[in-house]
Structure formats: structure tokens, C-alpha cells
């Protein structure tokens, strides 16, 4: 039947920035190493909600690791903070500056506290976070390189990070885990200890709790339990700056993106836009998937025009930051593979979800050559039968007519993406055949079977 009444176009034009997004600071830390400990091993912690339920919208910001690994310093962090402001990235919501690994000394001090690296951060962490806060941004951190972890030091460290050092986010890794007969905990128990500490610290100080980002790389199905403890959880192993890695992460998340909702977000790992071997089209697809799956958006501050065009696409960001609908897109058809196929290089191609302004649809060309793509509107569970839909292209920033029954897009680039916002535009035209978009058990108003089953 008919497709869009006007051809889809893909010419970018400026878009309008979304409303300002609230700010916060974050930190990340190796979770469980034993360089200093107390003596309460084996304490039982029931799996019930711990950390305060915020933020409603996802974390957006900068992370040092993919660009710099351990080559970080307070000078680099402050220069990057200024770039995030001057490039306009903070204007569209990138408000966290996260220090990822290698920020501390290898040993705690004689009082048992973690100490900032005296060479990399000679002025200390509070000095640094005060300066980041002074320009309206926030800070966070993380480590997984056998620096001091927090097992049996959770309350001490939560107080240090939040009250003394001024961080608002903690990314907590499942690294350097002590042996079983020492911890007497599984992974849920170990994360519960820190969730409890963050909650206790918040109550004692009267401050909002730190955002708690859990990272076990999806090893023990965190989509089933992590929402009880924190605001986000890593869903897979680490990302690499290439399409093979991005496609593999998309494939894995196709089976559990349903678990994401407000206060509970699957984290697909940091964005590689502007890094490595990703083409422009691959970077667009990467950014769209992360945004539509409601993953935290953590960038490296690459300043090329093409990179900034992608990272500052406010129409795509608006889906990620939707204040009304918190769920992620899910596949409605796998495409080149049968539905529910597990294929690291050819993930699901056709996805849809809800938003406050309409149904969002994402089509991925997972092939190495251009491809025509097509779907029937009612394949998405969020589309009403017998209705037509206006079509907004979120990359060309254009309105592309009205879709009746189906949508087709020609010559989607290799590893490219189509991102659409569909709005109900009223009843479809009278007299269309077949009278049911889904022919099985199509019944006439007189009760007779029209097309069979």
C-alpha cells in the first residue's frame, strides 16, 4: 500500500536546544579491593531499594578514559571543563565531568582514607571539584586498576567522596573482588553495601544522595536487580572505537533493553563518537542507539564539526532526556535475521518506543552496503491500526509528509541509521485494502471472516 506521501530527506539543518538540564558531579572507583579494611565481613544485606530515586533524566557528560586512560591531571580536567563550556556541549546537557581511573595514590593514608594522587592532582580533589562547580558543571570518578577499593570501607568512602571531595556521582566497578570465604557475599550483596552507605551518608548530611552507577559489565544479569540499588548499570563488557564493538553491544542489549525505565537505566558504556575508526554514519548510528536506549551519554570532547553535529543533535538528545517517558526502544523485527537471533555483527534492525511527543522508530542498516528499509506501521506495538502518522526525521530535522500503513527509506548507508518521530495524524483514508493491516482473523463488521487465518 501507500508509503510516506513525501520522500524522506536527510539534509541537516539547525535545531532548537532543549530546556536546561540540572547539573551534578560524579566520581568512579574500583569497588572491592582490600588495601584497607575493617572487620564486618559476612554482614547480610537484604535486596531492597536503597539509593534515593534520582535523577529522573539520564546522566550526560564527559569521561576521561577513552581518550586519555591514565594520562590525566588536574590541568587536563580543567582544560576539558572549559572546552565543554566553550564548545556549547554543556548548553545541550553535557554537565558531568567524570574522572575515570588513576586519580589516587596506590595506598590509603594512615587514617584509612583514599588520597588523591599528589602528582596528577597536587591541589586535591576538593579544589578541583570547586572549580568545576564554579562554571556550572559537575564531577565524578571511577577506577579499576588495583587502586584502593571500598569493600568494608563503604561508609568512610561515601562520606569522603560526597562531603569532603564534593562529588555527586559514583561509578562503582566489580574489580579486585576478595575471595569468597572472606566476603561471604555475592555481587548483589557487595553492591548493596555501597548503596546502603550512600543512603546513610545522604540522611546524615542532608544532601541529595550521590548518583550510583553500577558496573559489573552485565556478568550477573544486573538488569534484573540493579535498579533496586542505583540509577544505572553496565550491560556489557567495555566498548571499543569500532563498528564491530558497537554492533555487538547493540545485539546484546536487544534482549534486555526492556529493563530500562525511570530511575533505572541500562548503561551501554561510553560513547566513541570522534574516536577510533567509526565512520560518520556509524557514529550517527552509535549516538542514536545510545540515546534511544536511554543509556547515560558520556563523551570524549572531540571538537571536529562532524563530531559536534552528532553530539549536539538536540532532537535525538530530547529522546534520551524525555522527562515523561523513561522506557527504552526495543526491537519489533530483527530484519536480516529471524526474530530473537543472537548475532554480534548483525543485530536487530527495526526498533520502536514511546516518547512524550509520539512514537519513535529506529532503523539500522547492519550491512556493509547501502540497503532499502521498509516496515508496516502496525509492526510496532505503539502504533494504532487504522491511523496515519506524520513523520519527523530527527537527523535531517525535516518533516517528511504522512505515513499510511507503511514506511520505506531507500539507500540507507552502510551501518547507517534512520531516526523518526511519528505523530498520530488522524484516521487513514477510507477504502484502503486490505481492510486489516494484519490479515489474520480479519473480521468484517457483519461478523464474517474476510481473509482467513
Amino acid at each position: 500500500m501507500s508509503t510516506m506521501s513525501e520522500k524522506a530527506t536527510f539534509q541537516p539543518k539547525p535545531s532548537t536546544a532543549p530546556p536546561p538540564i540540572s547539573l551534578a558531579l560524579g566520581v568512579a572507583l574500583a569497588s572491592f579491593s582490600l588495601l584497607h579494611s575493617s572487620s564486618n565481613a559476612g554482614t547480610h544485606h537484604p535486596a531492597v531499594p536503597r539509593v534515593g530515586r534520582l535523577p529522573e533524566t539520564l546522566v550526560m557528560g564527559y569521561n576521561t578514559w577513552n581518550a586519555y586512560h591514565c594520562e590525566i591531571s588536574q590541568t587536563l580536567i580543567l582544560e576539558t571543563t572549559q572546552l565543554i563550556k566553550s564548545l556549547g556541549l554543556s548548553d545541550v546537557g553535557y554537565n558531568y565531568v567524570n574522572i575515570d581511573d588513576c586519580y589516587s595514590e596506590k595506598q590509603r593514608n594512615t587514617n584509612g582514607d583514599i588520597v588523591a594522587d599528589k602528582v596528577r592532582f597536587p591541589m586535591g580533589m576538593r579544589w578541583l571539584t570547586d572549580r568545576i562547580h564554579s562554571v556550572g558543571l559537575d564531577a565524578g570518578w571511577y577506577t579499576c586498576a588495583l587502586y584502593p577499593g571500598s569493600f568494608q570501607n563503604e561508609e568512610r568512602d561515601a562520606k569522603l567522596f560526597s562531603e569532603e571531595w564534593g562529588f555527586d556521582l559514583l561509578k562503582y566497578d566489580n574489580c579486585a573482588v576478595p575471595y569468597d570465604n572472606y566476603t561471604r557475599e555475592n555481587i548483589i550483596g557487595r553492591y548493596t553495601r555501597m548503596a546502603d552507605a550512600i543512603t546513610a551518608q545522604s540522611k546524615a548530611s542532608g544532601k541529595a544522595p550521590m548518583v550510583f552507577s553500577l558496573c559489573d559489565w552485565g556478568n550477573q544479569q544486573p538488569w534484573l536487580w540493579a535498579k533496586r540499588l542505583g540509577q544505572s548499570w553496565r550491560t556489557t563488557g567495555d566498548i571499543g572505537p569500532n563498528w564491530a564493538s558497537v554492533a555487538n553491544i547493540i545485539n546484546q542489549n536487544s534482549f534486555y533493553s526492556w529493563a530500562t525505565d525511570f530511575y533505572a537505566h541500562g548503561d551501554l558504556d561510553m560513547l566513541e563518537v570522534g574516536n577510533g575508526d567509526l565512520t560518520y554514519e556509524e557514529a550517527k548510528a552509535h549516538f542514536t542507539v545510545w540515546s534511544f536506549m536511554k543509556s547515560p551519554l558520556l563523551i570524549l570532547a572531540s571538537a571536529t564539526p562532524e563530531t559536534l553535529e552528532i553530539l549536539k543533535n538536540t532532537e535525538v538528545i530530547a529522546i534520551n532526556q524525555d522527562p515523561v517517558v523513561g522506557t527504552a526502544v526495543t526491537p519489533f523485527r530483527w530484519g536480516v535475521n529471524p526474530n530473537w537471533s543472537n548475532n554480534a555483527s548483525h543485530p536487530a534492525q527495526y526498533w520502536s518506543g514511546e516518547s512524550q511527543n509520539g512514537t519513535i522508530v529506529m532503523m539500522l542498516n547492519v550491512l556493509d552496503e547501502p540497503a532499502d528499509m521498509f516496515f508496516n506501521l502496525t509492526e510496532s506495538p505503539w502504533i494504532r491500526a487504522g491511523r496515519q502518522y506524520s513523520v519527523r526525521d530527527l537527523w535531517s530535522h525535516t518533516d517528511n509528509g504522512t505515513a499510511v500503513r507503511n514506511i520505506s527509506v531507500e539507500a540507507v548507508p552502510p551501518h547507517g541509521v534512520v531516526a523518526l518521530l511519528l505523530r498520530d495524524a488522524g484516521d487513514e483514508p477510507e477504502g484502503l485494502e486490505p481492510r486489516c493491516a494484519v490479515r489474520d482473523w480479519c473480521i468484517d463488521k457483519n461478523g464474517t471472516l474476510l481473509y482467513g487465518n
Side-chain angles (χ1 to χ4, degrees):
M1 298 306 297
S2 59
T3 58
M4 288 189 290
S5 59
E6 298 177 18
K7 283 285 187 180
T9 58
F10 298 90
Q11 299 301 316
K13 68 179 182 180
S15 57
T16 304
I21 299 170
S22 59
L23 309 179
L25 246 187
V27 131
L29 174 76
S31 46
F32 308 126
S33 58
L34 286 172
L35 300 185
H36 181 89
S37 67
S38 56
S39 58
N40 59 344
T43 302
H44 175 66
H45 295 268
V48 297
R50 290 298 197 277
V51 179
R53 302 193 104 194
L54 46 117
E56 293 185 15
T57 52
L58 287 108
V59 168
M60 295 175 61
Y62 168 83
N63 188 290
T64 59
W65 184 255
N66 283 351
Y68 298 107
H69 298 279
C70 280
E71 301 303 315
I72 57 173
S73 66
Q74 66 185 29
T75 300
L76 174 67
I77 300 303
L78 292 178
E79 289 175 349
T80 301
T81 301
Q82 293 299 328
L83 272 177
I84 291 170
K85 296 291 290 186
S86 64
L87 294 173
L89 290 164
S90 62
D91 295 335
V92 298
Y94 297 100
N95 293 320
Y96 283 78
V97 179
N98 290 349
I99 304 167
D100 197 321
D101 222 331
C102 312
Y103 59 85
S104 75
E105 298 288 338
K106 286 284 189 177
Q107 300 288 335
R108 292 174 179 262
N109 65 18
T110 56
N111 294 324
D113 291 326
I114 294 174
V115 179
D117 186 290
K118 297 180 179 64
V119 175
R120 294 186 176 100
F121 300 97
M123 302 300 293
M125 286 300 176
R126 190 66 195 218
W127 180 90
L128 180 65
T129 60
D130 283 348
R131 276 145 188 81
I132 296 173
H133 281 134
S134 72
V135 297
L137 300 181
D138 306 318
W141 86 39
Y142 148 91
T143 186
C144 194
L146 297 180
Y147 289 84
S150 290
F151 182 74
Q152 296 187 344
N153 286 274
E154 291 86 0
E155 292 186 5
R156 171 199 299 275
D157 290 350
K159 184 176 187 295
L160 175 74
F161 303 150
S162 179
E163 296 182 43
E164 298 180 30
W165 285 2
F167 286 95
D168 301 299
L169 179 150
L170 173 66
K171 182 183 175 214
Y172 202 47
D173 262 7
N174 188 34
C175 297
V177 180
Y179 55 88
D180 294 349
N181 287 344
Y182 186 89
T183 68
R184 307 292 181 181
E185 297 275 16
N186 68 358
I187 192 169
I188 298 176
R190 294 192 294 266
Y191 274 112
T192 299
R193 296 172 68 100
M194 181 55 83
D196 285 345
I198 292 172
T199 299
Q201 180 275 326
S202 174
K203 290 179 179 178
S205 67
K207 293 179 56 178
M210 290 184 291
V211 175
F212 191 28
S213 173
L214 289 71
C215 180
D216 88 320
W217 306 282
N219 290 336
Q220 292 197 16
Q221 298 178 283
W223 46 91
L224 299 179
W225 53 266
K227 64 182 66 178
R228 303 175 182 181
L229 304 177
Q231 288 76 41
S232 68
W233 61 87
R234 276 283 297 281
T235 61
T236 68
D238 291 348
I239 193 172
N242 55 77
W243 178 251
S245 177
V246 171
N248 182 38
I249 290 173
I250 296 171
N251 171 63
Q252 292 181 67
N253 280 271
S254 66
F255 300 101
Y256 38 72
S257 63
W258 52 264
T260 282
D261 204 339
F262 277 128
Y263 316 110
H265 306 285
D267 180 354
L268 280 62
D269 202 6
M270 293 167 277
L271 288 164
E272 296 282 11
V273 176
N275 197 30
D277 299 325
L278 291 174
T279 68
Y280 173 71
E281 295 295 339
E282 290 169 347
K284 282 172 55 180
H286 175 23
F287 185 72
T288 302
V289 174
W290 266 235
S291 296
F292 281 22
M293 279 203 204
K294 303 298 180 75
S295 175
L297 299 178
L298 293 173
I299 65 173
L300 44 82
S302 176
T304 67
E306 294 81 8
T307 297
L308 291 175
E309 177 197 353
I310 294 171
L311 295 177
K312 295 170 72 174
N313 184 334
T314 53
E315 292 195 72
V316 172
I317 290 172
I319 303 301
N320 182 265
Q321 296 289 307
D322 193 324
V324 176
V325 178
T327 50
V329 292
T330 55
F332 61 82
R333 175 154 51 91
W334 261 246
V336 299
N337 289 309
N339 288 346
W340 302 105
S341 294
N342 182 7
N343 189 315
S345 60
H346 293 77
Q349 294 186 273
Y350 296 88
W351 305 64
S352 67
E354 298 178 280
S355 81
Q356 64 173 321
N357 293 317
T359 299
I360 50 175
V361 172
M362 178 175 72
M363 293 186 280
L364 292 171
N365 178 12
V366 300
L367 303 177
D368 298 332
E369 58 189 19
D372 298 340
M373 303 192 73
F374 170 93
F375 69 96
N376 293 316
L377 294 182
T378 52
E379 289 186 79
S380 166
W382 311 114
I383 292 294
R384 296 170 62 190
R387 306 286 284 183
Q388 58 188 346
Y389 285 80
S390 65
V391 181
R392 175 73 175 175
D393 186 323
L394 301 185
W395 279 106
S396 68
H397 309 295
T398 54
D399 296 317
N400 292 285
T402 303
V404 179
R405 292 282 178 98
N406 54 60
I407 290 177
S408 61
V409 180
E410 298 177 354
V412 179
H415 307 162
V417 69
V418 178
L420 304 176
L421 176 65
L422 307 183
R423 294 185 177 96
D424 192 307
D427 290 341
E428 67 180 24
E430 293 291 337
L432 292 182
E433 290 290 344
R435 276 179 269 176
C436 296
V438 179
R439 295 172 66 100
D440 289 351
W441 290 103
C442 183
I443 303 295
D444 191 89
K445 60 185 177 182
N446 65 13
T448 62
L449 185 65
L450 290 176
Y451 303 119
N453 58 1

